[in-house]
Amino acid sequence: MKFGGTSMAGTERIRRVANIVRKQTAGGNEVAVVVSAMAGETDRLVNFCREANALYDPAEYDVVVASGEQVTSGLLALTLQSLGAKARSWLGWQLPVRTIEAHAKARVDSIDGEALGKSMAEGEIAVIPGFQGVSDEGRITTMGRGGSDTSAVAVAAAVGADRCDIYTDVDGVYTTDPRIVAKARKLKAVTYEEMLELASVGAKVLQTRSVGLAMKEGVRVQVLSSFVGDDAVPADELPGTMIVSEEEMNELVEKGLVERQHVTGIAHDKNEAKVILTRVPDKPGAVAHIFEPLAKASINVDMIIQNVGRDKGETDVTFTVPQADLARAQALLEDKRDDIGYNRLITDSKIAKISVVGVGMKSHAGVAATMFQALADRGINIQAITTSEIKVSVMIDEDETELAVRVLHTAYGLDAADEAA
Ligand code: ADP
Ligand code: ASP
Ligand code: MG
């Protein structure tokens, strides 16, 4: 069971969580619980780091930001004990949750499930702070924002759990962010592949890595709400959204339990920035000169367009990078100006990426055309396009994000039927 930030925000909420956990153990289940820091706490801690040192050392940043989860894991163990349950916390370094790779974006390498399994078998509820681990050098690491989802899936895999229930502040995965589109529909099931794509293009309900790991390890994941009353449908009856394999999905469709649409969901991402280089030489090797330094600096480039060449063998190149990396990218490109040979470097953070995702696209033509037409009808200008087998993304002006998401949701027939109708 994993509980996110809003579910853990304050002692009252933690008591609710403890009750939900107790219900599971009362049903005869052994349970490990992974918790997030209280809502807003990680942001607060990140700001402290920035104030202390703008160019902070990621290893010390991890020491600071991992603390939010230490607090909530101890508090939940205390609350469970106050209800008469046996419970104890297991910090990342105690389990241990071994991670590899860089600080602030560490990846889980292995979790030793032995001590955990033993403690659980003895009827003790294990409470584990999400987001944190320990490096081979014995230093605290964190797994990137939203990383508690990945901790939960990794723990589930380590103990061979029957299911990994991700409790959050919405009751499942919707056709789009229900906070933007009131008519978004809850999905009974979504495939790993689609969820992976949705998460990677901005649907923050699950961290992308957690979905990849669940897919690789075959962990059964359910997304459901912790904001429910005592009379709520029990988690074992699967009230939320199940992340399933393609085969399972086909079975659900055949049984008529799930309806298959060409588009499963729509996501948006406001965290990218656009970079334009004008009058780049239109010759072999020119774009390699641009992207090589960015790759070396581990800056991820997402959308790329190279305009039709101008006269005189020149062309404009436009691409996007994460907003957090924009300043670094800009400095690198200015540094390499002579090598690349561009005229002007223009940047714009006020852009958004809107994506439509669905495995139905593999076999159904016209999904992209519908998208472009629906946006055109509302006068929304498309600045760039990228596609994959199951996704189409467009770059638009950030101010038009909400409108675009709503318009597309309607265009693909995803709106929930009006209750009054
Ligand atoms: P937690 O703190 O529990 O990890 P998050 O804030 O990380 O919760 O994720 C839950 C939020 O994800 C929801 O409140 C919702 O606004 C947002 N969200 C974005 N896209 C979707 C979607 N397709 N379905 C459900 N929620 C979504
Ligand atoms: N507390 C961390 C964050 O806010 C991890 C998580 O909640 O998943 O990013
Ligand atoms: Mg989250």
Side-chain angles (χ1 to χ4, degrees):
M1 305 172 78
K2 179 258 172 177
F3 294 89
T6 27
S7 307
M8 297 299 291
T11 42
E12 246 347 278
R13 293 292 335 155
I14 293 177
R15 196 165 295 280
R16 286 286 323 149
V17 165
N19 277 318
I20 296 173
V21 172
R22 290 270 284 163
K23 245 190 209 163
Q24 276 298 328
T25 53
N29 293 305
E30 288 169 21
V31 174
V33 189
V34 173
V35 295
S36 284
M38 294 189 197
E41 179 63 7
T42 309
D43 287 341
R44 196 175 75 95
L45 296 169
V46 169
N47 278 331
F48 279 142
C49 292
R50 289 202 181 118
E51 281 168 26
N53 183 342
L55 295 172
Y56 52 74
D57 166 14
E60 297 305 340
Y61 161 96
D62 277 350
V63 172
V64 176
V65 300
S67 66
E69 271 76 5
Q70 172 158 342
V71 171
T72 47
S73 61
L75 288 175
L76 179 58
L78 286 171
T79 310
L80 285 163
Q81 288 169 0
S82 79
L83 297 176
K86 277 210 292 179
R88 73 152 280 189
S89 61
W90 294 86
L91 300 184
W93 60 270
Q94 292 172 323
L95 264 180
V97 177
R98 293 208 172 280
T99 69
I100 47 176
E101 239 191 58
H103 281 283
K105 45 182 170 187
R107 206 182 277 267
V108 182
D109 183 21
S110 67
I111 294 182
D112 189 345
E114 200 182 314
L116 195 58
K118 191 161 162 275
S119 143
M120 287 165 67
E122 285 165 3
E124 198 167 54
I125 300 168
V127 186
I128 300 158
F131 189 46
Q132 59 171 256
V134 60
S135 71
D136 282 344
E137 292 80 42
R139 303 201 64 178
I140 305 274
T141 55
T142 65
M143 302 170 194
R145 300 304 305 269
S148 295
D149 296 329
T150 304
S151 306
V153 171
V155 167
V159 298
D162 297 320
R163 212 174 59 235
C164 178
D165 282 344
I166 307 266
Y167 286 85
T168 182
D169 55 5
V170 286
D171 60 359
V173 177
Y174 279 70
T175 44
T176 192
D177 189 339
R179 292 183 204 287
I180 291 192
V181 179
K183 287 184 176 176
R185 264 190 296 136
K186 192 172 105 185
L187 300 164
K188 192 83 205 106
V190 57
T191 63
Y192 288 110
E193 195 187 5
E194 287 169 312
M195 195 61 236
L196 194 62
E197 197 84 58
L198 277 170
S200 73
V201 293
K204 73 165 188 166
V205 60
L206 288 176
Q207 195 196 33
T208 310
R209 269 189 195 166
S210 72
V211 187
L213 189 63
M215 187 162 154
K216 179 166 151 256
E217 300 284 340
V219 175
R220 287 178 66 73
V221 174
Q222 174 177 213
V223 176
L224 70 172
S225 176
S226 74
F227 288 72
V228 291
D230 289 330
D231 53 351
V233 179
D236 293 345
E237 288 175 29
L238 311 183
T241 300
M242 286 302 295
I243 319 296
V244 300
S245 65
E246 189 80 47
E247 297 81 65
E248 242 183 301
M249 182 60 107
N250 288 336
E251 279 169 31
L252 290 171
V253 173
E254 267 165 39
K255 285 185 193 150
L257 296 170
V258 174
E259 216 183 308
R260 180 138 279 160
Q261 311 262 3
H262 302 314
V263 167
T264 303
I266 300 169
H268 69 276
D269 184 354
K270 294 182 179 177
N271 296 315
E272 300 244 327
K274 176 172 74 170
V275 179
I276 306 173
L277 296 179
T278 67
R279 313 190 78 145
V280 175
D282 195 4
K283 63 173 193 212
V287 279
H289 276 314
I290 299 174
F291 295 116
E292 215 175 68
L294 300 178
K296 277 202 186 123
S298 298
I299 296 174
N300 269 327
V301 174
D302 183 22
M303 303 178 124
I304 302 174
I305 32 175
Q306 179 175 338
N307 293 0
V308 175
R310 302 169 177 238
D311 309 336
K312 290 186 272 162
E314 288 171 339
T315 179
D316 293 348
V317 177
T318 303
F319 55 92
T320 61
V321 296
Q323 251 172 49
D325 292 330
L326 179 61
R328 273 197 314 137
Q330 204 167 343
L332 279 168
L333 292 167
E334 273 160 12
D335 206 43
K336 299 274 175 197
R337 179 168 182 166
D338 290 343
D339 294 352
I340 303 168
Y342 61 86
N343 180 26
R344 285 209 305 150
L345 190 168
I346 305 161
T347 65
D348 181 4
S349 299
K350 280 193 74 260
I351 54 144
K353 184 171 74 173
I354 314 293
S355 308
V356 300
V357 173
V359 287
M361 277 180 218
K362 286 184 191 175
S363 54
H364 180 82
V367 170
T370 301
M371 182 178 202
F372 305 152
Q373 191 59 53
L375 295 175
D377 288 347
R378 289 306 191 99
I380 297 172
N381 189 40
I382 298 171
Q383 304 178 26
I385 303 165
T386 52
T387 64
S388 79
E389 209 179 9
I390 64 164
K391 175 199 80 183
V392 185
S393 302
V394 294
M395 187 207 296
I396 61 167
D397 190 301
E398 187 181 88
D399 291 341
E400 295 174 320
T401 307
E402 282 76 16
L403 175 65
V405 171
R406 281 198 199 102
V407 163
L408 293 173
H409 200 264
T410 305
Y412 289 111
L414 296 174
D415 289 351
D418 229 323
E419 264 163 47

